Amino acid sequence: MEKNLVAQFQYLPNEAGARVTTVAAVMGCSVPTVWRLAKAGKIKAVRLTNRMTVFNVGSVRDFLNPQK
């Protein structure tokens, strides 16, 4: 199922949220790296419940493709 989410990441709207494992797969990094980037404010994390956090797809795209 994770592969399917990664393949469809490009079609998600910027306002959508993606789970940490999907973001790590899209970025080609580890899950702890995603958490470090969120803590540093480089990607936006939204806590939905005590046990569920999603990452803003638009902020992940902005991080991967910075404007010059």
Side-chain angles (χ1 to χ4, degrees), residues 1-9 12-35 37-38 43-61 64:
M1 185 168 153
E2 189 67 36
K3 275 187 172 182
N4 192 22
L5 292 173
V6 172
Q8 293 180 2
F9 188 84
L12 293 174
N14 284 337
E15 300 80 22
R19 299 291 301 266
V20 67
T21 52
T22 302
V23 173
V26 167
M27 294 177 69
C29 65
S30 67
V31 169
T33 299
V34 175
W35 288 112
L37 291 170
I43 58 175
K44 184 180 177 189
V46 179
R47 185 167 220 162
L48 299 179
T49 68
N50 278 351
R51 297 179 55 162
M52 184 185 296
T53 301
V54 294
F55 296 85
N56 180 270
V57 170
S59 70
V60 173
R61 287 184 181 135
L64 292 173

